[in-house]
Amino acid sequence: METLLRLPSPEIYAKAAALYRAGELVAFPTETVYGLGANALDAEAVGRIFAAKGRPNDNPLIVHIAHRDQLDPLVRLPALATALMDAFWPGPLTLIMPRTDLVPDAVTAGLDTVAVRMPSHPIARAMLEACRLPIAAPSANRSGRPSPTTAAHVLEDMNGLIPLIIDGGPCEVGLESTVLDITQERPCILRPGGVTREMLEAVIGPVEVAGSVLRPLREGEVARSPGMRYRHYAPKGEITLVRGGEADVIRALRLCWEAAEAAGENSCVLCFEEHAAALAGVRCHSLGTLSQPESIANRLFDVLRQLDTEGMTRVYSEVMPADGIGLAVMNRLGRAAAFRTVEAADVIARRGAAPV
Ligand code: AMP
Ligand code: MG
């Protein structure tokens, strides 16, 4: 199949609508990452998403809508929903709500809940308006790859597999939406994203964070979000997170990189802009500046994809505080590293007085 990459226009929206109605897939930009969409009410079309992504079919999808009146046929609204929608829709917040029978099992992986979001990106909105359908859309990457934040990333993963990609340039947030479960007594963040815990709590009071956001699932632990079971955001090389005091971390990153290079690995360090000068001579990728944490979220997936392009086999990364948008960054970085973490002080003690 030929994959068309096209800039947005009324004609392209009409083409997207026709493709959706014919049960085909269209990739489109949102403010979070690029989505791979299908008509959410067409189980066969939804099946094509799983095939194109190589996604396990027990991992449910998010349904995207343009208007609130599209919700009524899909969900039974929990009490908290209205306040959350008023505050954060359109935007990067996905709500898990009890579903109706209209939603195919293929979308929800058979769960009795469904994830719904109203994106704010003008291209996503115009496309949803044009097709007047609820669109089921996961991130438009092959399963296990970092989510795409540019149309070029989508093409990298989906060329030949889907008929159309709408090119809307780089995504603003750069990380997937916050997934909030509001079906239980206490609202719970299943996946942190652009709408932070602090922002949610300012509107609805205390919000829990699922345990597996910052650590691997424990043996026998049931994932509240099926996506948590899978290794995600995974570059081909092995990433290790290095934590500790600032000076120790910089020293340990250099020691780790030197040891990896000496062992014949193709290796680099992921560091914050603030520490680039102190790491002179070390092969580094900047994660952005700590003074603008949103910029770190924004470029993370692009950096992770570059590691593969450069054939990196060993990568050592700094960490940031897991609050605000930092929770989402550390969730994605942690999962990319399979949560492999070392203490900087231990690295230094083991390697003794190695040159700094
Ligand atoms: P993606 O589509 O790649 O952005 O991933 C969607 C995320 O939302 C995955 O982590 C899913 O497991 C999660 N999700 C979707 N629907 C539900 C649901 N009904 N209950 C819990 N998590 C869900
Ligand atoms: Mg995804």
Side-chain angles (χ1 to χ4, degrees):
M1 173 187 304
E2 191 194 355
T3 301
L4 297 178
L5 179 63
R6 290 288 181 268
L7 293 170
S9 68
E11 294 71 39
I12 285 301
Y13 296 141
K15 185 174 177 62
L19 285 166
Y20 284 137
R21 290 192 182 278
E24 297 289 346
L25 309 184
V26 177
F28 61 96
T30 80
E31 68 278 20
T32 58
V33 301
Y34 275 72
L36 179 61
N39 177 0
L41 304 179
D42 177 346
E44 209 173 301
V46 169
R48 295 206 172 99
I49 294 180
F50 288 89
K53 279 181 64 88
R55 181 174 172 113
N57 57 11
D58 61 351
N59 191 6
L61 307 178
I62 296 172
V63 176
H64 294 66
I65 58 171
H67 295 288
R68 268 202 221 179
D69 56 20
Q70 289 179 286
L71 262 185
D72 296 339
L74 305 177
V75 304
R76 282 178 285 114
L77 274 193
L80 284 176
T82 306
L84 287 164
M85 293 187 297
D86 285 349
F88 301 111
W89 279 14
L93 176 66
T94 296
L95 297 175
I96 307 287
M97 300 184 267
R99 67 146 165 150
T100 64
D101 291 342
L102 191 68
V103 184
D105 278 344
V107 171
T108 68
L111 295 173
D112 53 10
T113 54
V114 61
V116 187
R117 154 168 136 77
M118 185 189 290
S120 63
H121 194 294
I123 297 175
R125 293 186 64 76
M127 190 202 74
L128 291 168
E129 297 267 0
C131 71
R132 299 195 167 277
L133 289 169
I135 297 296
S139 48
N141 51 291
R142 293 275 302 164
S143 213
R145 295 262 290 150
S147 294
T149 55
T150 65
H153 293 163
V154 181
L155 193 64
E156 224 169 77
D157 283 17
M158 292 294 156
N159 197 11
L161 297 176
I162 61 172
L164 178 63
I165 301 168
I166 304 179
D167 184 352
C171 300
E172 190 187 320
V173 179
L175 294 180
E176 305 88 341
S177 60
T178 304
V179 176
L180 184 70
D181 183 350
I182 51 171
T183 63
Q184 311 287 317
E185 185 75 11
R186 228 4 181 359
C188 181
I189 295 176
L190 305 185
R191 177 177 75 185
V195 174
T196 64
R197 178 187 201 170
E198 293 80 353
M199 289 159 74
L200 293 167
E201 289 190 330
V203 175
I204 55 168
V207 169
E208 286 175 22
V209 177
S212 51
V213 162
L214 289 179
R215 59 163 173 77
L217 274 178
R218 302 202 169 103
E219 183 98 1
E221 185 179 6
V222 176
R224 283 185 67 176
S225 180
M228 300 272 188
R229 281 201 296 271
Y230 301 106
R231 182 155 181 248
H232 246 202
Y233 321 118
K236 297 187 184 94
E238 182 183 287
I239 302 184
T240 302
L241 307 181
V242 181
R243 70 176 180 204
E246 193 175 13
D248 279 356
V249 167
I250 290 168
R251 186 152 179 230
L253 287 169
R254 183 181 290 278
L255 287 170
C256 288
W257 178 76
E258 284 169 348
E261 287 290 302
E265 302 282 351
N266 192 13
S267 93
C268 72
V269 159
L270 307 184
C271 72
F272 300 112
E273 205 66 57
E274 285 80 350
H275 303 144
L279 284 161
V282 173
R283 182 161 183 180
C284 286
H285 274 291
S286 173
L287 289 166
T289 164
L290 287 164
S291 66
Q292 281 173 293
E294 286 74 19
S295 74
I296 298 170
N298 185 269
R299 67 197 295 167
L300 182 63
F301 285 143
D302 192 46
V303 171
L304 293 179
R305 276 181 182 258
Q306 277 178 43
L307 299 177
D308 281 351
T309 310
E310 293 167 2
M312 289 295 161
T313 56
R314 283 291 161 83
V315 180
Y316 301 92
S317 179
E318 289 202 61
V319 300
M320 70 185 290
D323 48 37
I325 192 72
L327 183 64
V329 170
M330 289 316 302
N331 168 256
R332 307 309 192 277
L333 196 52
R335 300 190 70 186
F339 295 103
R340 193 180 307 103
T341 307
V342 295
E343 296 292 337
D346 292 348
V347 171
I348 294 166
R350 270 205 312 275
R351 302 258 162 83
V356 175

